[in-house]
Amino acid sequence: HQQTFLNQLREITGINDIQVLQQALKDSNGNLELAVAFLTAKNAKVPQLEEATYYQTALPGNDRYISVGSQADTNVIDLTGDDKDDLQRAIALSLEESNRAFRETGITDEEQAISRVLEASIAENKASLKRTHPEVWSDSPNPYDRKRQDNCPVGLKNVGNTCWFSAVIQSLFNLLEFRRLVLNFNPPANAQDLPRNQKEHRNLPFMRELRYLFALLVGSKRKYVDPSRAVEILKDAFKSNDSQQQDVSEFTHKLLDWLEDAFQIKAEEERDGEKPKNPMVELFYGRFLAVGVLEGKKFENTEMFGQYPLQVNGFKDLHECLEAAMIEGEIESLHSENSAKSGQEHWFTELPPVLTFELSRFEFNQALGRPEKIHNKLEFPPILYLDRYMHKNREITRIKRDEIKRLKEYLTVLQQRLERYLSYGSGPKRFPLVDVLQYALEFASSKPVCTSPVDDLGASAPASGTLPAQTLPSTVEQQGPSSSDVPSTSPVQRSVIHKPFTQSRIPPDLPMHPAPRHITEEELSVLEGCLHRWRTEVENDTRDLQESISRIHRTIELMYSDKTMVQVPYRLHAVLVHEGQANAGHYWAYIYDHHQNRWMKYNDISVTKSTWEELERDSFGGYRNASAYCLMYINDKEQYLIQEEFNKETGQILVGMDTLPSDLRDYVKEDNKRFEKELEEWDAELAQKAQQEKLLSQIPRAPAPSPAPVQAGEPEYLEQPSRTDISKHLKEDSVQAINKALAEQEDRGPEAIMDTLLHYLKSDRVVSDVLNVCAFLSAIKLEYTRLLKLAQEDPPPECDYRLRHAIVYFIQNQAPKKIIERTLLEQFGDHNLSFDERCRNIMKVAQAKLEMIKPDEVNMEEYERWHQDYRNFRETTMFLMVGLEFFQKKSYMEALLYLIYAYQNNKELLSKGPYRGHDEELISHYRRECLL
């Protein structure tokens, strides 16, 4: 554990001095957060001065405007003077850095700049617009929205920045062996006798809540369950408040420690004189052998590890990260007897069945005093072969590493030679040598077509009229009569202009195109033959170099593909993804369903099918601000990890509730009964509302004037306004009063019935309810008519009615009628309308209508998609307008970034319909103008 903490401190703070790290860990009594705070506070003294220098040099009034922080004095080239060497050096440095970044990450500087600017610009809007990742999920009042469909996996509710909890717990729960261990855990018999100050009084309650949570994930009838009780125990241990995002690796460390302690108590209770075996240790912990040389002395140490940390910065795939983690220092000294160099190698001696890699995507910026996220692209395979890192294969691996090193050195030489062919020349502009020879061949083959520059001017003059003498330049100077003077062949009179500063004479006859002036046929024939031959030789050399480089790459890729190096396969089980920056973000998990052979995405309450392509896009990193943070691999040969349980008597597979112990089965049944009661109460409430509508529909009405014809496409309840649309707060006594009036006046005529009804309608409450419904119907009718008119009009180019209201957008794109209806109801049911009594009454009627909508009447997923498209449309408009503002200000680089984002978003919208977005050609035009 101490070694793990030291590794984490080194990654977080960037300090490599082991004595400083150990002292900080000792002073903080093993508390990682205090140790980090101590180290960063201690090392922040010097950067504070540098940071002050940064802001001082970045002031607009400063002559040398510098914005590279504390390294400004050493790395910045002064381009304010006239020294051309400085300019050339700056260009060379810029190209070198750009090429190095592209080689390391595969991403151009432009793409990185676009990504950084877009992330910074939409970070604030994204939190409010992205409804798929709210910080706290609110339960739908309709329990059918929360009902589990068939045997779909159960999600976990986000109870306040707990996406980290959901991602880790779901990854472990879907590991069937781990699930069995947790579900079948029985608290030790002496648990009640333990002193209150021992940590078991924290771990055992957590184990109890974790068992309950796992049982609900197995057999609950709910779409998602609430993990609040388990989360509260964890948060007390973290000593954090609800607003903080927890680190996945820190939480996983804590979780495994607690589980290890809990199982250790049980193991010690059940041991029979033997050393107790802890199933958590056997499942998640392995061992490696550290072999090295320290100041000329060799050493060997066996160490245990749980989560294996890997650096991401500077590596392109998981194998490169592992190679770097396995070798530290000068490894050549390990194979020599007399050397004072230091270094060490790590070799796995025992791999755990579940192997977890921590990808260190956060690093601490000493200058700014805060952590930053690394967005570099890092690839990882679905099947990982670890034979090359095993101690038993160390000799073979060393030979292959030496061979790969030799091949890479040779590869570097070939790439340098190829670069000379592809980028030929000594100046700042370079071209492929094949093209240079082709240009020379075309030049040699060109025939000179001579003409006078004066004739060119005459040919370009207007056909009629005479040009003013002072506006017609001439290259002929007045030097008396000469045979070299060009006679005037144009009707335009040419005047002589004297050039006092340039008295040189331009040749009178110049070729229209560059061409050799003096060359014989024999010279041309020899030169063309040489250029053809040289061009062919260069093409052959370039092709041979490219083929050699490809062969070497292929050889390196297949170096570990022989049978002896593919005996330890590990399959990717789960990928934990983080989206955001170092100080905030969102976690979710991709988990492989080993029985259905498909990937599933677990995002809080949402559990959906996924693909490897989607996982790659979200997990590899490099362009977006989402990337994998933790990888969980399992031994592909240990089938018990993912094997289903079987009934010992019948041999049939146990599924669902049958896999639970009796106490947990009872617990889940009780919870399901409570949920079924919610469904019954909801059904009863709907039935009561339907009965009320039926009673109210029996009230006779005075004949009303025929309504105006309704335009096609209006919602049904707009076409047939009815008094059945009574607000929720209608009281039972109102219904009874109306029924009583009907009963008493049954034998009387229609006039008497109307008199009695009017008598009862004098009750303020009843009259108010009826008036509220009428006002609501009138208001919603007027609003829909107004929006329909806007949707049918042809607006001028500078006015887009779709931006005024979502319903205009929906109507133009032919959204389903139910979507438009619900949107209108939500508009009038908004709580913001409660500012006065009349609006509040209409709001209550709208809310009552919303509650009366049955689950099968409106597809809520489709409803959310339509509203998400409209939010994307408004967001696209915002970026388009910002980009055009920058374009008008001639800030073309800034404008380009916004227009690129607008174009990409708009293209996705237009793929769904022609009126979903803006004019694609318009955005393309300004995007190209900015690029040029």
Side-chain angles (χ1 to χ4, degrees):
H1 289 297
Q2 183 183 12
Q3 184 62 40
T4 301
F5 282 153
L6 291 174
N7 290 338
Q8 287 184 328
L9 284 176
R10 185 185 298 115
E11 294 165 15
I12 295 172
T13 63
I15 298 174
N16 294 317
D17 192 332
I18 193 68
Q19 294 180 350
V20 173
L21 298 176
Q22 288 176 341
Q23 184 63 38
L25 198 59
K26 181 179 178 181
D27 293 344
S28 62
N29 294 323
N31 188 311
L32 189 62
E33 294 180 2
L34 292 178
V36 172
F38 172 76
L39 290 170
T40 54
K42 182 177 179 180
N43 289 276
K45 295 179 181 179
V46 176
Q48 284 176 0
L49 179 60
E50 296 174 350
E51 193 172 354
T53 306
Y54 167 87
Y55 287 110
Q56 184 178 1
T57 55
L59 291 176
N62 197 314
D63 291 337
R64 296 188 61 182
Y65 187 87
I66 302 172
S67 59
V68 292
S70 58
Q71 299 180 356
D73 295 335
T74 57
N75 294 338
V76 173
I77 299 173
D78 184 11
L79 300 180
T80 58
D82 297 330
D83 192 348
K84 294 184 178 180
D85 292 338
D86 282 344
L87 180 60
Q88 293 294 335
R89 193 160 71 254
I91 295 173
L93 274 175
S94 176
L95 290 174
E96 181 182 354
E97 291 178 2
S98 177
N99 291 334
R100 183 171 65 251
F102 180 76
R103 287 195 301 270
E104 292 177 354
T105 64
I107 307 159
T108 64
D109 285 346
E110 181 183 357
E111 290 175 330
Q112 291 179 346
I114 292 173
S115 178
R116 285 194 297 269
V117 171
L118 290 179
E119 285 174 16
S121 61
I122 68 174
E124 184 175 352
N125 291 330
K126 194 172 186 180
S128 59
L129 292 176
K130 195 167 187 180
R131 294 180 62 178
T132 55
H133 296 159
E135 289 301 326
V136 183
W137 292 96
S138 58
D139 292 330
S140 169
N142 185 350
Y144 284 95
D145 293 340
R146 297 180 271 116
K147 185 178 179 181
R148 183 179 182 182
Q149 300 297 325
D150 300 328
N151 292 319
C152 291
V154 179
L156 287 173
K157 181 180 178 181
N158 190 326
V159 293
N161 291 331
T162 57
C163 50
W164 49 274
F165 179 89
S166 301
V168 175
I169 290 297
Q170 291 282 22
S171 302
L172 295 174
F173 171 78
N174 283 278
L175 209 60
L176 298 187
E177 177 64 13
F178 181 84
R179 184 194 303 181
R180 284 190 287 268
L181 288 171
V182 171
L183 292 175
N184 295 311
F185 176 82
N186 292 319
N190 62 345
Q192 301 299 327
D193 302 329
L194 294 173
R196 293 189 61 84
N197 60 349
Q198 291 195 11
K199 56 187 176 183
E200 284 77 5
H201 271 271
R202 175 198 62 198
N203 299 347
L204 294 178
F206 175 74
M207 278 300 302
R208 180 181 66 251
E209 297 302 332
L210 190 61
R211 290 182 74 237
Y212 289 155
L213 186 60
F214 272 29
L216 291 174
L217 291 175
V218 170
S220 178
K221 292 185 178 181
R222 303 175 189 266
K223 181 181 179 181
Y224 57 89
V225 294
D226 191 334
S228 297
R229 293 164 70 177
V231 170
E232 288 305 319
I233 299 175
L234 281 171
K235 286 188 174 181
D236 290 340
F238 278 113
K239 296 180 181 179
S240 66
N241 55 51
D242 291 346
S243 64
Q244 290 179 326
Q245 293 270 343
Q246 297 300 334
D247 180 84
V248 163
S249 62
E250 182 185 2
F251 164 63
T252 310
H253 277 300
K254 187 86 68 176
L255 176 64
L256 293 181
D257 285 345
W258 288 16
L259 294 173
E260 180 185 345
D261 292 339
F263 277 93
Q264 187 66 26
I265 303 171
K266 187 66 178 175
E268 291 176 354
E269 184 185 71
E270 297 176 350
R271 68 175 177 176
D272 297 327
E274 300 179 358
K275 184 178 180 181
K277 291 185 177 180
N278 192 316
M280 290 295 109
V281 175
E282 294 186 353
L283 196 61
F284 293 101
Y285 288 87
R287 288 179 173 82
F288 67 83
L289 180 68
V291 184
V293 176
L294 181 61
E295 297 179 356
K297 297 180 180 179
K298 291 187 177 182
F299 67 87
E300 286 189 6
N301 292 324
T302 300
E303 299 182 21
M304 181 179 286
F305 68 92
Q307 293 176 276
Y308 203 83
L310 295 175
Q311 294 291 335
V312 171
N313 211 1
F315 306 110
K316 67 178 183 179
D317 58 44
L318 189 59
H319 276 299
E320 286 191 2
C321 296
L322 278 166
E323 290 282 353
M326 293 304 210
I327 302 173
E328 297 180 9
E330 300 289 337
I331 63 171
E332 290 81 359
S333 60
L334 299 178
H335 317 303
S336 59
E337 296 296 332
N338 301 317
S339 175
K341 295 181 179 180
S342 298
Q344 63 174 316
E345 293 176 340
H346 290 175
W347 299 98
F348 291 130
T349 57
E350 182 181 345
L351 287 172
V354 182
L355 179 58
T356 305
F357 294 115
E358 294 178 13
L359 303 182
S360 301
R361 286 197 171 273
F362 295 155
E363 63 181 4
F364 195 84
N365 189 318
Q366 292 284 354
L368 300 180
R370 64 168 181 260
E372 292 181 344
K373 186 176 178 183
I374 302 171
H375 292 290
N376 294 358
K377 183 177 181 181
L378 184 78
E379 299 179 0
F380 46 85
I383 300 292
L384 180 68
Y385 294 98
L386 295 169
D387 303 76
R388 69 183 81 173
Y389 311 109
M390 301 301 295
H391 182 254
K392 62 181 180 181
N393 297 327
R394 63 188 183 282
E395 296 302 331
I396 300 177
T397 301
R398 284 169 178 167
I399 294 173
K400 289 181 179 293
R401 283 176 179 170
D402 292 340
E403 178 66 13
I404 290 175
K405 183 179 179 181
R406 185 186 65 80
L407 287 173
K408 286 185 175 180
E409 291 174 351
Y410 182 48
L411 184 65
T412 302
V413 174
L414 293 181
Q415 288 173 337
Q416 291 174 350
R417 291 182 60 186
L418 180 62
E419 184 68 19
R420 298 191 189 104
Y421 281 93
L422 299 179
S423 181
Y424 187 80
S426 57
K429 291 186 177 181
R430 302 187 178 191
F431 303 92
L433 182 54
V434 173
D435 293 344
V436 173
L437 294 173
Q438 179 64 29
Y439 299 153
L441 182 60
E442 293 173 358
F443 173 78
S445 304
S446 300
K447 301 295 183 180
V449 179
C450 296
T451 181
S452 169
V454 179
D455 291 340
D456 287 342
L457 289 172
S460 62
S464 61
T466 304
L467 293 176
Q470 64 270 21
T471 62
L472 187 65
S474 173
T475 58
V476 183
E477 299 181 10
Q478 222 173 11
Q479 294 181 355
S482 173
S483 62
S484 62
D485 291 343
V486 181
S488 174
T489 60
S490 171
V492 181
Q493 183 179 359
R494 292 173 174 77
S495 61
V496 178
I497 299 177
H498 296 278
K499 300 180 180 179
F501 298 106
T502 55
Q503 295 298 328
S504 58
R505 183 180 181 84
I506 298 178
D509 295 325
L510 293 174
M512 293 180 63
H513 305 287
R517 302 293 293 273
H518 306 289
I519 186 171
T520 64
E521 291 296 331
E522 293 180 357
E523 291 173 337
L524 180 60
S525 176
V526 172
L527 182 57
E528 286 182 342
C530 292
L531 289 174
H532 274 296
R533 185 174 69 254
W534 294 341
R535 188 176 186 276
T536 303
E537 292 172 355
V538 170
E539 286 179 343
N540 293 336
D541 290 347
T542 302
R543 184 171 57 254
D544 291 343
L545 284 171
Q546 290 172 338
E547 291 175 356
S548 298
I549 291 172
S550 298
R551 282 197 302 271
I552 293 175
H553 277 302
R554 184 64 177 165
T555 303
I556 293 175
E557 289 176 1
L558 299 177
M559 186 64 70
Y560 293 101
S561 61
D562 52 279
K563 290 184 178 180
T564 60
M565 304 304 282
V566 290
Q567 300 301 313
V568 188
Y570 270 70
R571 181 177 296 275
L572 186 61
H573 167 70
V575 179
L576 276 61
V577 180
H578 176 268
E579 180 182 33
Q581 302 300 327
N583 57 347
H586 180 69
Y587 290 101
W588 68 88
Y590 289 100
I591 303 173
Y592 190 68
D593 187 336
H594 300 272
H595 299 283
Q596 299 292 334
N597 294 323
R598 66 187 181 192
W599 284 97
M600 301 292 291
K601 182 178 181 180
Y602 289 78
N603 189 353
D604 288 332
I605 70 170
S606 172
V607 182
T608 56
K609 296 178 184 178
S610 186
T611 61
W612 175 255
E613 290 71 26
E614 182 183 2
L615 185 151
E616 281 186 346
R617 185 173 64 251
D618 285 348
S619 305
F620 281 5
Y623 189 76
R624 297 180 57 221
N625 61 346
S627 54
Y629 189 58
C630 185
L631 305 177
M632 189 178 292
Y633 282 87
I634 61 174
N635 193 325
D636 204 30
K637 293 184 177 181
E638 302 288 353
Q639 290 300 311
Y640 75 93
L641 294 171
I642 56 174
Q643 194 170 22
E644 299 279 6
E645 286 189 79
F646 291 86
N647 189 307
K648 296 180 180 178
E649 298 179 356
T650 63
Q652 294 181 344
I653 296 178
L654 298 177
V655 294
M657 299 280 282
D658 295 334
T659 63
L660 300 178
S662 58
D663 62 326
L664 294 179
R665 195 179 304 127
D666 294 339
Y667 176 80
V668 175
K669 286 181 179 178
E670 287 297 323
D671 185 75
N672 286 339
K673 286 181 181 178
R674 289 192 292 269
F675 184 64
E676 289 172 355
K677 187 177 180 180
E678 286 186 49
L679 296 173
E680 293 173 359
E681 292 175 352
W682 177 262
D683 291 337
E685 186 178 352
L686 291 181
Q688 184 180 5
K689 291 176 182 177
Q691 182 66 22
Q692 291 179 359
E693 290 184 0
K694 184 177 180 181
L695 291 172
L696 291 172
S697 64
Q698 297 174 2
I699 301 176
R701 293 179 293 176
S706 58
V710 181
Q711 299 186 43
E714 290 187 346
E716 290 179 359
Y717 67 87
L718 294 181
E719 297 173 6
Q720 300 174 353
S722 170
R723 282 190 179 180
T724 58
D725 296 322
I726 298 299
S727 62
K728 184 181 179 182
H729 69 281
L730 184 64
K731 302 298 182 181
E732 291 185 4
D733 55 350
S734 300
V735 179
Q736 292 174 358
I738 296 173
N739 290 334
K740 184 178 179 181
L742 292 173
E744 291 178 353
Q745 304 295 332
E746 186 174 4
D747 297 329
R748 299 170 63 182
E751 295 180 0
I753 293 176
M754 289 304 299
D755 290 339
T756 305
L757 182 59
L758 290 173
H759 172 73
Y760 279 99
L761 285 178
K762 290 179 181 178
S763 169
D764 292 340
R765 217 182 310 172
V766 176
V767 173
S768 175
D769 288 339
V770 175
L771 291 177
N772 290 339
V773 173
C774 294
F776 162 74
L777 292 174
S778 176
I780 205 167
K781 172 81 172 180
L782 290 172
E783 177 67 3
Y784 180 79
T785 304
R786 181 183 70 87
L787 296 175
L788 182 63
K789 183 178 179 182
L790 287 178
Q792 294 173 344
E793 287 185 3
D794 188 14
E798 67 274 8
C799 182
D800 193 337
Y801 291 151
R802 293 175 296 176
L803 295 170
R804 294 191 179 183
H805 202 291
I807 291 180
V808 177
Y809 183 83
F810 293 164
I811 294 174
Q812 290 190 0
N813 289 285
Q814 300 178 347
K817 183 170 59 177
K818 294 295 184 181
I819 303 295
I820 298 175
E821 286 183 9
R822 187 176 182 90
T823 304
L824 265 175
L825 287 174
E826 288 191 348
Q827 174 184 343
F828 283 94
D830 188 5
H831 288 283
N832 293 323
L833 293 176
S834 59
F835 55 87
D836 66 20
E837 186 66 24
R838 185 177 180 183
C839 291
R840 184 158 55 248
N841 292 333
I842 293 178
M843 175 192 73
K844 291 178 180 179
V845 177
Q847 291 174 348
K849 283 290 291 183
L850 282 171
E851 293 180 1
M852 293 169 64
I853 297 177
K854 297 179 181 179
D856 55 348
E857 289 183 359
V858 179
N859 186 337
M860 290 306 297
E861 292 184 0
E862 183 182 18
Y863 179 81
E864 292 295 336
R865 284 197 298 269
W866 275 97
H867 279 270
Q868 184 62 50
D869 284 348
Y870 184 65
R871 285 191 293 272
N872 291 342
F873 170 72
R874 291 182 64 88
E875 185 180 358
T876 302
T877 306
M878 178 186 70
F879 279 96
L880 173 60
M881 297 306 299
V882 173
L884 293 177
E885 287 180 6
F886 276 119
F887 179 82
Q888 295 294 337
K889 297 176 183 178
K890 298 185 179 181
S891 300
Y892 299 117
M893 291 186 65
E894 292 83 353
L896 179 61
L897 300 182
Y898 285 96
L899 292 174
I900 287 176
Y901 185 85
Y903 179 82
Q904 293 172 343
N905 216 5
N906 191 68
K907 187 175 182 180
E908 183 178 349
L909 288 171
L910 291 178
S911 65
K912 302 177 181 179
Y915 300 105
R916 293 289 187 104
H918 294 286
D919 185 1
E920 187 173 14
E921 293 184 359
L922 177 71
I923 306 178
S924 299
H925 168 75
Y926 284 103
R927 185 184 62 162
R928 178 170 177 77
E929 289 297 316
C930 291
L931 182 63
L932 293 177

